Amino acid sequence: MRSRPGLGIRMRAAAMAGTLVLAGCSGGAGAGHDGGNADPGTGRVPDGMVGQQAEPGQPVGGGTLTFAAYAEPTSLDPTETIAHGTSGGAALAAVYDVLVRYDHDAGEYVPWLAESLESADGGRQWTVELPDDVEFSDGTPLDAEAVVGSIEYYLSAGGSDAPLLERTIDTMTATAGTTVVFELSGPWPGFPTMLAQGAGMIVAPAARDGAEFEPIGAGPFTLENYAPSEELVLAANDDYRLGRPPLDRVRFTWLPGPEAKRDALESGAVDVAYLREPSHVRRQLDSGATGFLTTLSVGNSITINQRDGRPGADRRVRRALALALRPEMVSQRVFEGAAVPSKRLFPETSEWYAEGVEPLGTDVERARKLVDQARADGFDGSVELVNGSDPSARAESMAIKAMLEQVGFTVEIFAARSISEQIQKIYATKDFDLASSALSVGDADPYPRLTAGLHSESPVNAGGYANPEMDELLGRLRRAGTERESRAVLTGIERLWQADVPILTLSPMRTLIAWNPDVYGAVPTGESIMLFHDTWLAG
């Protein structure tokens, strides 16, 4: 038996589970419906599958699928990469698979690499049963001991969800060759979501036992070649548990900016592209794009570094920043009016919109007074804004700079050469004052992303925000057992968000994972991760 310290972190019920859910029909990418599915009253395309494809016919083997991903993974080690679709999660899932995946049709997490997943005692105990004939790509068995060892490695190495899991799992036991039992310190009906991302990507013992980590898993693909900043190529695993994948290879590439991604998709240079820049998403939808669309709160925002010695540690500075910003100007100048400007945590498009809670608004004079007060106490007025270097990012940076300098700030812009450099500066070195970012809170279950971005003990709380009141509200949210209880807590979080300004919100963000009409069989799961085990390219 292996033990872990526990705290009892509980999520919403499984029907509400998933932080950033990339949902889709079980039939995969070919199961899209009519692309002209805009609401006749609002003109807004609802979330879900979009586009229309011809009937797939018989699957065709061979070929390489090229995916213009959002960002390069920092590593193929799940403990070093946040295993989400925006940061390399699809590549990791291709190598390791996941114990559990999110089934959009069923509205719940279902076993995937696992054979079954059952709970008892109100969700305090979870039992994972594994098939008895699964092997890693090096031929060693993927059994209960391997699963426990892999998750222990994830915890000890400090994976992104490790703090949450360490406080929740009391014991994790391989009770038989293919049975793993998790005893939690409190009921957690949403526990399966943790097994659908980093912690549920099971690495082989040989991967973690050597002097250097080796990407050895039981997924449908294995590492063939990795050229940093250029491409990551994965080759089909002939011995994959569900049979050899139809594709020979999956190639991940990271193009410089949204324009390049969309152009590459339209020209056929890539087969799949992750798009989130509003004007490009709108154009792609207007063209009858095939893919999956979802809306995320706090999808376009500015993270404020609030650590000691940074300007954002002063609440007056944070409020001055918020009062100076006009999100509608960013939408018009940067996104051709395609964004939905909002300073709220949950905008009106969200089911968690908090009626009666007013956003901080825009007030140039109040902002100036707060900046003057901070200057009187030693603040020199200077802030550095970290953003990308593509045209949209540059335009956004200049718009924000103009608004902030109007109220007395002096703004320097750091234009990162790539999203990976941006992530490194924000999350690794934490060398910034302000940084363009996205908390990306899905309506399905706001708890995990809010906890990751706002809890004082979260390792991926990029801004270092720490408020005991927020920690207490997040604790209440994990214990909420009904929609009514959750709504009451989220209203309280919205109220504190507006008063304390942990993050500057500009708009929610619509994300579209788009694919060309000849791509079939991709299976979406949670956290915008695509599974390519059954994907094929029509001739």
Side-chain angles (χ1 to χ4, degrees):
M1 178 176 291
R2 294 160 167 89
S3 298
R4 287 282 165 198
L7 176 61
I9 297 177
R10 177 180 178 273
M11 293 201 326
R12 299 281 308 284
M16 299 292 293
T19 51
L20 164 54
V21 176
L22 173 59
C25 300
S26 57
H33 50 263
D34 185 5
N37 56 350
D39 185 291
T42 64
R44 182 177 184 271
V45 178
D47 289 359
M49 299 292 289
V50 298
Q52 189 173 31
Q53 288 179 277
E55 290 298 320
Q58 291 299 314
V60 176
T64 297
L65 179 137
T66 299
F67 185 3
Y70 184 70
E72 183 176 5
T74 56
S75 168
L76 285 179
D77 183 344
T79 71
E80 295 185 12
T81 295
I82 300 174
H84 298 164
T86 53
S87 50
L92 270 66
V95 172
Y96 305 109
D97 230 336
V98 284
L99 285 172
V100 171
R101 77 170 182 89
Y102 186 77
D103 184 325
H104 176 64
D105 287 343
E108 63 183 1
Y109 284 89
V110 298
W112 183 242
L113 180 55
E115 189 170 76
S116 67
L117 177 68
E118 297 180 354
S119 66
D121 194 17
R124 185 184 293 268
Q125 181 189 85
W126 289 87
T127 300
V128 173
E129 289 288 348
L130 303 165
D132 58 10
D133 57 351
V134 177
E135 293 183 345
F136 293 106
S137 60
D138 67 353
T140 58
L142 194 160
D143 55 16
E145 287 287 347
V147 168
V148 170
S150 178
I151 297 177
E152 285 193 328
Y153 168 72
Y154 182 87
L155 297 176
S156 63
S160 60
D161 291 319
L164 189 155
L165 290 169
E166 285 181 332
R167 298 171 193 159
T168 307
I169 300 174
D170 275 347
T171 63
M172 179 172 50
T173 310
T175 62
T178 57
T179 305
V180 180
V181 178
F182 298 88
E183 295 284 352
L184 310 183
S185 55
W188 188 3
F191 176 69
T193 188
M194 295 291 101
L195 304 181
Q197 41 194 297
M201 296 177 177
I202 306 305
V203 302
R208 49 190 164 82
D209 289 346
E212 293 186 2
F213 182 85
E214 295 288 338
I216 304 171
F221 296 89
T222 61
L223 177 63
E224 180 175 287
N225 179 60
Y226 175 42
S229 302
E230 295 181 16
E231 66 176 12
L232 170 67
V233 181
L234 305 179
N237 178 1
D238 291 336
D239 298 318
Y240 181 54
R241 63 188 177 88
L242 298 179
R244 187 188 189 280
L247 291 169
D248 289 332
R249 292 172 181 81
V250 177
R251 174 178 175 261
F252 296 88
T253 187
W254 313 282
L255 301 177
E259 292 88 355
K261 290 185 178 69
R262 186 166 181 267
D263 289 347
L265 186 68
E266 288 187 339
S267 70
V270 304
D271 303 292
V272 184
Y274 190 111
L275 305 174
R276 67 186 304 273
E277 197 272 356
S279 57
H280 289 283
V281 169
R282 182 172 65 181
R283 289 192 192 111
Q284 197 71 9
L285 291 173
D286 289 346
S287 71
T290 304
F292 183 84
L293 179 72
T294 191
T295 303
L296 304 167
S297 297
V298 201
N300 187 26
S301 60
I302 304 295
T303 293
I304 308 171
N305 194 337
Q306 296 158 57
R307 295 172 177 84
D308 290 344
R310 294 285 181 173
D314 188 331
R315 185 170 176 267
R316 296 171 301 182
V317 171
R318 300 200 303 272
R319 289 179 65 83
L321 292 166
L323 288 165
L325 292 180
R326 297 188 293 278
E328 62 277 5
M329 180 182 291
V330 175
S331 177
Q332 291 297 329
R333 292 189 178 181
V334 184
F335 304 125
E336 302 173 6
V340 180
S342 176
K343 289 189 176 182
R344 292 181 176 274
L345 167 56
F346 296 108
E348 292 187 9
T349 55
S350 169
E351 70 170 279
W352 303 114
Y353 172 75
E355 294 189 30
V357 179
E358 292 299 320
L360 194 55
T362 300
D363 190 324
V364 171
E365 291 305 316
R366 283 177 62 195
R368 284 176 180 156
K369 289 179 181 178
L370 289 169
V371 173
D372 288 343
Q373 291 172 14
R375 281 181 177 274
D377 291 334
F379 172 47
D380 67 2
S382 299
V383 292
E384 182 187 63
L385 170 63
V386 175
N387 207 337
S389 56
D390 61 88
S392 294
R394 290 198 301 269
E396 182 180 68
S397 295
M398 294 308 297
I400 292 170
K401 176 182 173 72
M403 287 183 277
L404 296 185
E405 292 191 338
Q406 185 181 10
V407 303
F409 289 101
T410 300
V411 181
E412 295 293 330
I413 297 172
F414 179 91
R417 293 167 295 180
S418 67
I419 293 173
S420 296
E421 183 182 25
Q422 209 169 330
I423 291 172
Q424 178 75 8
K425 194 168 176 67
I426 298 169
Y427 290 96
T429 64
K430 300 177 176 62
D431 181 19
F432 69 97
D433 296 322
L434 307 174
S436 178
S437 62
L439 195 57
S440 300
V441 182
D443 274 358
D445 186 355
Y447 170 72
R449 284 297 179 101
L450 290 179
T451 297
L454 300 175
H455 197 283
S456 62
E457 297 182 12
S458 168
V460 290
N461 175 348
Y465 176 73
N467 185 325
E469 184 179 354
M470 183 64 78
D471 288 351
E472 192 274 333
L473 284 167
L474 291 169
R476 286 174 53 196
L477 182 60
R478 75 175 180 251
R479 296 189 295 271
T482 67
E483 180 179 333
R484 182 178 180 181
E485 292 172 346
S486 296
R487 186 171 300 280
V489 177
L490 289 168
T491 297
I493 291 175
E494 178 78 71
R495 187 173 291 111
L496 181 57
W497 179 284
Q498 297 300 328
D500 215 24
V501 196
I503 295 172
L504 300 168
T505 308
L506 296 171
S507 68
M509 189 69 76
R510 309 199 82 192
T511 64
L512 176 66
I513 294 185
W515 46 77
N516 286 324
D518 62 343
V519 176
Y520 290 92
V523 177
T525 180
E527 289 296 348
S528 68
I529 295 172
M530 299 296 295
L531 304 179
F532 295 117
H533 63 284
D534 205 26
T535 304
W536 56 279
L537 299 172

